[in-house]
Amino acid sequence: MSFFGQLAWLFRESVRGFRRSGGATLAATWSTALACSLLFAFLYGAQVWSDWSGSEVERQGWVEAFLLDDAPPRELLASIQRIPDAGKAVFVDKEQARRRFVERFGSEMLDALDSNPLPVSVRIQVSRTEPAAIDSFVARLARIPGVESVDSPRTSLDDLQRFQSWVLRVGLASGLLLFGVVFGVIRNSTQLSLRSRDRLIDNMRILGATRFQIELPFAVEGAMQGLLGGLLASAIPWIMLWAARNFLPVPVPVESFWGLRAAAATLVFSGLAGLAGGWWTVRRSFR
């Protein structure tokens, strides 16, 4: 038999096994879909979070230097631009500072005062947002004559990085748990498939089939169950999200590219888990 003929036989035999198992295969596929839908949701949410955190890091990558009232702004700007990692600098006068304050806290406190007490400042975009780089930049900035104080986003960035590392650890632990769930579901389905094909396996042995030829259809069958479950796990949540996008209480970005990437990762994950579950089960059964 040619190579392509062997592939065709392998595919036909895997599909036959898939169909013979009946209810067990359907239950395994839906169980895989339910488990992997959590993975799809996590991967999609991780991309939404990554996009938001990237914009937040960019927004937080600004350091604000508050100036003394008699500080010469042009000389200060020139000194600031000479600091390593200094990027775009924006001068904020008293009126602009008042508008920013009102946007964040309202105008009640300032309306009670006769004059505007807010200081003039310079907002500087730092080219590197690593904590050590920001600390070094802030220390250099604070030593410039005419700078009264410096407001740094270091705390916010540290909190953001800690949360990102926490999300990564939770994602890895959840991924291992889901892999075990899918593995176990496909394992049970493969065991039932093996019991229903005892006579076929005996005939293949009599005809001289190798162990690899006997085991491979079951492994492919497990991979097919995993892939079908992963496809359902990607399609159903995406359709539900797309249909409910205008009714959700909070705005959730619906981006097709994010959905495709999450679906591809989910399919690879479920396919590998199904392949591993099918192969491991049949290998142990034929010892």
Side-chain angles (χ1 to χ4, degrees):
M1 185 182 296
S2 66
F3 174 75
F4 292 104
Q6 290 178 345
L7 286 180
W9 172 84
L10 174 62
F11 178 76
R12 287 196 303 269
E13 186 58 35
S14 300
V15 172
R16 288 194 190 103
F18 195 88
R19 295 172 60 184
R20 285 192 192 102
S21 301
T25 298
L26 185 62
T29 300
W30 276 109
S31 299
T32 300
L34 290 175
C36 290
S37 62
L38 299 176
L39 176 64
F40 177 85
F42 177 82
L43 292 174
Y44 189 85
Q47 292 178 88
V48 176
W49 163 261
S50 178
D51 183 72
W52 175 84
S53 63
S55 62
E56 185 68 10
V57 167
E58 182 179 354
R59 186 183 70 83
Q60 293 286 355
W62 289 79
V63 171
E64 188 161 12
F66 297 98
L67 311 182
L68 298 171
D69 291 337
D70 57 349
R74 289 188 178 181
E75 288 78 356
L76 276 172
L77 285 174
S79 300
I80 290 171
Q81 292 293 342
R82 287 194 291 268
I83 301 177
D85 298 327
K88 181 181 178 181
V90 179
F91 185 77
V92 181
D93 60 22
K94 284 182 170 292
E95 186 57 33
Q96 291 173 323
R98 178 185 175 87
R99 286 200 298 269
R100 290 174 58 198
F101 186 90
V102 170
E103 289 174 359
R104 295 184 62 184
F105 305 107
S107 61
E108 290 79 8
M109 289 184 286
L110 293 180
D111 290 341
L113 302 175
D114 296 332
S115 60
N116 184 356
L118 299 176
V120 175
S121 65
V122 178
R123 299 184 70 237
I124 309 101
Q125 188 175 30
V126 185
S127 59
R128 292 194 300 160
T129 57
E130 295 86 357
I134 291 179
D135 286 344
S136 175
F137 185 87
V138 169
R140 291 169 179 262
L141 184 61
R143 291 196 293 266
I144 296 178
V147 174
E148 183 176 14
S149 62
V150 179
D151 182 25
S152 167
R154 166 67 186 274
T155 302
S156 299
L157 291 175
D158 285 348
D159 292 341
L160 187 61
Q161 290 178 347
R162 280 195 296 269
F163 187 72
Q164 285 177 328
S165 62
W166 179 80
V167 169
L168 179 61
R169 289 194 292 268
V170 170
L172 290 175
S174 301
L176 291 174
L177 179 62
L178 285 176
F179 190 91
V181 170
V182 176
F183 182 93
V185 167
I186 301 299
R187 174 180 176 274
N188 292 335
S189 176
T190 305
Q191 285 178 334
L192 293 175
S193 181
L194 280 167
R195 292 171 185 171
S196 66
R197 286 191 279 178
D198 287 340
R199 182 174 299 177
L200 175 63
I201 294 171
D202 290 339
N203 292 336
M204 292 178 68
R205 284 173 171 169
I206 293 172
L207 294 174
T210 64
R211 182 172 178 176
F212 179 79
Q213 290 173 326
I214 297 174
E215 294 173 353
L216 189 58
F218 294 97
V220 174
E221 182 182 334
M224 289 174 61
Q225 292 182 35
L227 288 172
L228 184 56
L231 183 62
L232 292 173
S234 303
I236 294 175
W238 174 253
I239 293 172
M240 293 176 62
L241 177 62
W242 184 85
R245 66 190 186 282
N246 296 325
F247 306 100
L248 295 174
V250 294
V252 177
V254 179
E255 177 61 51
S256 299
F257 183 65
W258 292 346
L260 288 174
R261 288 202 300 187
T266 302
L267 284 171
V268 171
F269 176 88
S270 60
L272 289 176
L275 180 66
W279 197 292
W280 186 85
T281 303
V282 74
R283 291 286 291 182
R284 284 182 60 88
S285 300
F286 289 164
R287 279 183 178 178

